[in-house]
Amino acid sequence: MANHSLEVLKLSVLFDNHFFNGVPTQVHFIQNSTMVGTWIDEQGAANLSIGLDRIKFMNSDQLVFLIAHEYGHLVLKHPDKTIEIQQQYGIVSTFDEFMLSPDMKRDYSRLMREMELQADLFGAQLVLGLGHDPVSGASFLLGETKSIQHPEGTLRVAKIKAGEQSLVAEDFSGTFNNLAMQLSDAEVLAALVPSYTQPIDSIDSTVKAAVESWPASGAGSYAGDTLYGFEVSVLLTIAVLACAMPRWWRKTSVG
Ligand SMILES: [Zn+2]
């Protein structure tokens, strides 16, 4: 598990550097959860939530695809688009989605599922660029049934397979040149995760990663990959990594 968290952090640092000038996406590792998702917080910072039970048995192709897909949502500004669409349809909670009329539900669903397919193809290009196999990486989707927000897993994998020929591998060469040092920092920090315990209100924008936990009961069944802000207040942090950050993690995108 620790190795998987470390891989997630490394990918996150790599993608932060490649897409966001090194501005850190805050990574929340959630214990006892399979939920994965992205959102933008009130400070405008990007957040990535990873249920540790979701990644526990993933191979490295799958792990890379999952994180690349989530960064697809961030780079393509899907958290903002989701809020726009949900406002348009008057959706405040998951419950509201089920209360939509059949016609509205179909249209809403189409918009939401479209973003998933976009993130899949975007993610697949990153996976290729990192020398992994996108179809193998997306294989964990095969068992996933369709939801209001997600197309059926078999369809998603079929779309990646069908688009494979036209996928253009993301060119990370410029990012890699400068990254070896940073990744070793991430390794050190990742190794520190279990030994730092602080309450959630100590989280600030300099925190790169945190290990958190959902309430053990009453959390209900969250569809994976649907965390876009409104559930965040439910988070209980039991451990936070907040040690002194290397300067490159505080680097702003000005310039
Ligand atoms: Zn997604």
Side-chain angles (χ1 to χ4, degrees):
M1 188 138 70
N3 283 340
H4 281 69
S5 311
L6 181 57
E7 278 311 306
V8 170
L9 271 183
K10 283 182 174 182
L11 288 164
S12 175
V13 169
L14 173 67
F15 295 152
D16 287 345
N17 277 273
H18 191 68
F19 292 109
F20 301 122
N21 286 317
V23 176
T25 297
Q26 289 168 246
V27 181
H28 308 256
F29 293 108
I30 314 292
Q31 292 180 327
N32 306 315
S33 172
T34 55
M35 190 188 56
V36 172
T38 55
W39 74 97
I40 306 297
D41 62 27
E42 284 105 16
Q43 287 76 42
N47 286 261
L48 169 63
S49 170
I50 302 289
L52 289 170
D53 287 350
R54 183 70 166 270
I55 62 173
K56 204 157 36 177
F57 300 113
M58 282 189 168
N59 64 36
S60 81
D61 282 347
Q62 293 171 330
L63 199 58
V64 171
F65 178 82
L66 177 71
I67 306 306
H69 169 96
E70 293 306 319
Y71 266 80
H73 284 312
L74 290 173
V75 174
L76 299 171
K77 304 205 182 305
H78 287 171
D80 288 346
K81 284 180 189 162
T82 297
I83 290 169
E84 260 172 51
I85 293 168
Q86 291 184 331
Q87 277 171 353
Q88 191 186 326
Y89 284 82
I91 289 168
V92 182
S93 70
T94 310
F95 179 73
D96 295 332
E97 293 182 340
F98 290 99
M99 299 306 287
L100 290 171
S101 72
D103 281 359
M104 282 179 71
K105 195 190 276 182
R106 188 197 56 221
D107 292 347
Y108 170 76
S109 206
R110 188 176 48 78
L111 293 169
M112 300 300 282
R113 289 175 187 163
E114 186 55 39
M115 287 193 285
E116 290 307 319
L117 296 175
Q118 287 168 3
D120 280 345
L121 287 181
F122 185 96
Q125 322 226 45
L126 306 194
V127 171
L128 266 185
L130 293 171
H132 289 264
D133 176 359
V135 175
S136 150
S139 59
F140 67 89
L141 296 173
L142 286 171
E144 299 200 353
T145 52
K146 130 173 108 174
S147 69
I148 292 179
Q149 303 200 349
H150 292 76
E152 203 159 15
T154 47
L155 174 75
R156 294 172 66 182
V157 175
K159 291 252 181 199
I160 293 168
K161 234 179 224 168
E164 217 181 358
Q165 261 58 11
S166 53
L167 285 178
V168 181
E170 184 77 16
D171 179 11
F172 285 104
S173 53
T175 312
F176 277 126
N177 289 341
N178 217 0
L179 207 66
M181 189 71 175
Q182 295 166 0
L183 287 184
S184 65
D185 282 342
E187 289 187 47
V188 172
L189 289 167
L192 288 172
V193 168
S195 59
Y196 279 77
T197 53
Q198 291 182 27
I200 191 162
D201 56 16
S202 70
I203 291 184
D204 62 41
S205 61
T206 60
V207 174
K208 174 60 185 170
V211 179
E212 301 164 13
S213 172
W214 288 86
S217 62
S221 59
Y222 283 87
D225 192 32
T226 58
L227 183 76
Y228 282 120
F230 44 84
E231 294 107 330
V232 176
S233 56
V234 187
L235 286 176
L236 287 179
T237 295
I238 59 163
V240 169
L241 169 65
C243 54
M245 287 288 154
R247 189 175 301 153
W248 56 269
W249 268 347
R250 290 180 172 158
K251 193 169 59 183
T252 63
S253 59
V254 178

